[in-house]
Amino acid sequence: MDDRDQVNEKHLDEDQQSTTVLPWDRFSNWIHCCCVVTFDLELGQAMELIYPGHVKLSDKEKMNICYLSFPDSNSGCMGDTQFHFRIRQCPGRKPTVKAHNAYNRDCPITLQSESAYYYGFVYFRQTKDRTIRRGYFQKSVVLVTKLPFVALFSQLVSIIAPEYFDNGEPSLEAACHDIDQWPDPIPGDTLNLPIMGTVIQVRVPCRSDRLVGGVQAKSQERHTIPAHSVLPTLHEVDIYSAFHSILPHVQLLWELVLIGEPVVVMAASPSVTCNCVQALINMITPLKYCNDFRPYFTIHDSEFKEFTTRTQAPPPVILGVTNPFFAKTLQHWPHIIRIGTSPKPLNKLKKAASLKTLDSKPDQPESCVYTQYKSFLAKDKMILKRLMKGSQSKRPVEAQNAILRRHFLELTQSFMIPLERYMASLMPLQRNISPHKGAPLLRQFDPEEFLQTVEHSGPQLTSGIKGDWEALYRRFFRSPNFEGWYYQRQREVNQKLQVLHMEALSNSNLVEWIRDKEEVEIVDLILRIKEKLKFAINNHTVVQQESVMKLQKHLENIVSALPDDLQTVIKT
């Protein structure tokens, strides 16, 4: 089989995969499984049902899901409660769903499918029931998935769970069969998702959206049926409501998240902790938060000892907790956010050491931020005044949230633009890309060289916030957030260089070039072309098909120009 056949076969395989859909394939593109967790008098939280039945979870995964599917006993959550959690997938399990590979390639970095973690979206019901020995009905429906679609799956479980509580397992089976008919989550598409007699319409964000100034790129819309509910976003949470009681300190929190500091969020309810943790992660969009985070975390979690040990510094993770026990266990953590029951905003910071005097009751009214961290940047008082004025004038929460989200987006972009500009300077000039040499590589990132550019072309050009930007960059360079960003950009740029080098090869007169060359040089060129065609097979979406066809023709002409004995060696 020659290289052209390989490329064509690659496209044929993908076409066949898109038309040959096995039962539960589409379901697994969205959800790993649905679980029902109940309270057993002898066992405590117990897994009652996993659907579809063929889905496998390890004993550790089952245990973590069970413990995280109920609010802490101290929370006193009566009625219905919704929240979500995040757990590690046990090693040695099946790799990422095939459809997620294509999705991850085109979606925003922050929304990529999790390869090593599961999200669990919980709908918990606790009501008095005299027919039950314990006196209470306590049960949770949990959607387990690798996709961070917080808004979509929160709405989805709020539709599925009440039906299950009323009608039992057949309704859960019907819901899963509905999901198994959903189209793939293709970035850029607007999808209609039927579920239990209703239709949710969503648009899947695309990585190219950022190229059109914040306005979403036109999507390939699929309006096959009318939608009952249009979700404005798949994944965003209301960061204004999450931070309302600690609003004066949101910029400090942005710095802590940016540089990957350990943070714990304490509140009375898992609904509050998971919204706050998710809001913290979203603060640095479009930069991806690359540390671990747990929107809801309990003392029964399998990583409890790892996260609470005092024998080493706290790990760079954001935890959301409700058990008052954590007020003592995590006193050594450097940054603690306490979300109280009073909506009144907090104006003063408290030193981390003062946590020892914290009232550990879960319904503490006052919100507090405990930290000894000194911000590198001056507080932006204009955004706070604008939000306070909006609150006084009864501006809708949706508008307040949009204002705050836009503020953090612009702040993060101001921080990242100099880094992107410097990254572009590390690329070789296109005129220096020679078809007769190997593909050039990106120059290494030099932090000191970059910092020399900050004074004249740093964030102050696009942000009115003053402060020690250079020191903030130095802290950022030591964080996994920088490593994650740099690795991703390095991979993207080197891929782009490979494409440019391939185009340079395809546009050259290679047959003319080999006339006065030694056999070893010709063989080297042939191997280089074959390597490029292999690259085209694995990265066909970023490679121009015209370049592939030209290069294949070059290869055929070069081989045919060789002596017969050398042709035989090359072909074998």
Side-chain angles (χ1 to χ4, degrees), residues 353 375 486 515 517:
S375 298
Y486 178 59
R515 285 186 177 176
K517 298 297 183 289

Side-chain angles (χ1 to χ4, degrees), residues 245 248-249 344-349 379 388:
S245 61
H249 309 293
K344 186 178 179 181
L346 164 75
N347 287 315
K348 292 183 179 180
L349 286 175
K379 187 180 293 186
M388 293 297 182

Side-chain angles (χ1 to χ4, degrees), residues 440-460:
L441 295 175
L442 189 72
R443 279 200 301 122
Q444 285 295 311
F445 190 100
D446 184 339
E448 293 303 321
E449 185 181 57
F450 165 77
L451 290 172
Q452 290 174 10
T453 70
V454 172
E455 184 178 353
H456 301 292
S457 56
Q460 67 276 9

Side-chain angles (χ1 to χ4, degrees), residues 137-288:
F137 173 91
Q138 293 174 306
K139 195 168 286 192
S140 287
V141 174
V142 189
L143 304 183
V144 180
T145 177
K146 288 179 171 291
L147 296 168
F149 298 163
V150 176
L152 173 64
F153 290 125
S154 295
Q155 176 154 339
L156 190 61
V157 76
S158 73
I159 295 171
I160 295 173
E163 286 287 337
Y164 171 78
F165 292 139
D166 291 343
N167 302 308
E169 189 174 339
S171 64
L172 188 63
E173 182 178 348
C176 291
H177 279 284
D178 281 346
I179 296 168
D180 193 39
Q181 303 305 309
W182 287 6
D184 292 351
I186 299 174
D189 274 11
T190 295
L191 308 178
N192 287 315
L193 309 177
I195 183 71
M196 307 192 82
T198 189
V199 177
I200 303 172
Q201 186 179 100
V202 297
R203 181 185 183 278
V204 184
C206 183
R207 191 171 300 188
S208 62
D209 289 351
R210 62 180 179 174
L211 303 178
V212 287
V215 179
Q216 289 184 333
K218 186 170 181 174
S219 58
Q220 304 170 22
E221 298 188 355
R222 301 180 181 180
H223 296 292
T224 54
I225 42 181
H228 299 91
S229 173
V230 179
L231 270 186
T233 172
L234 269 178
H235 61 286
E236 292 174 350
V237 297
D238 179 359
I239 64 174
Y240 172 75
S241 297
F243 294 144
H244 179 259
S245 61
I246 52 173
L247 207 53
H249 309 293
V250 288
Q251 190 171 302
L252 178 147
L253 298 179
W254 175 83
E255 287 191 29
L256 294 180
V257 176
L258 181 74
I259 63 178
E261 282 287 295
V263 179
V264 61
V265 177
M266 297 181 178
S269 163
S271 302
V272 176
T273 67
C274 73
N275 286 338
C276 189
V277 170
Q278 207 67 45
L280 288 168
I281 304 307
N282 286 359
M283 287 174 93
I284 62 172
T285 301
L287 182 65
K288 182 177 182 178

Side-chain angles (χ1 to χ4, degrees), residues 302-358:
S302 57
E303 277 91 42
F304 174 77
K305 289 183 179 179
E306 176 185 335
F307 288 161
T308 58
T309 179
R310 289 174 180 261
T311 59
Q312 57 191 33
V317 60
I318 300 179
L319 298 180
V321 301
T322 60
N323 195 318
F325 176 75
F326 283 106
K328 295 180 179 178
T329 310
L330 301 179
Q331 279 186 9
H332 63 295
W333 275 49
H335 320 291
I336 299 169
I337 303 169
R338 182 61 188 261
I339 306 294
T341 54
S342 172
K344 186 178 179 181
L346 164 75
N347 287 315
K348 292 183 179 180
L349 286 175
K350 295 190 177 183
K351 291 185 178 180
S354 64
L355 180 61
K356 295 175 182 178
T357 62
L358 171 67

Side-chain angles (χ1 to χ4, degrees), residues 73-118:
S73 57
N74 294 282
S75 302
C77 297
M78 290 297 291
D80 294 349
T81 305
Q82 273 193 253
F83 56 95
H84 65 276
F85 58 80
R86 185 172 179 263
I87 61 171
R88 284 180 189 159
Q89 177 181 320
C90 288
R93 303 293 304 283
K94 194 170 77 170
T96 306
V97 179
K98 283 184 180 179
H100 289 180
N101 292 327
Y103 164 78
N104 281 348
R105 186 180 58 236
D106 297 327
C107 75
I109 303 297
T110 54
L111 291 182
Q112 287 184 332
S113 165
E114 298 275 10
S115 60
Y117 291 87
Y118 288 122

Side-chain angles (χ1 to χ4, degrees), residues 511 514 552-562:
V511 175
I514 67 170
Q552 288 170 336
K553 190 66 177 175
H554 283 326
L555 183 61
E556 293 169 4
N557 292 337
I558 292 170
V559 172
S560 63
L562 295 175

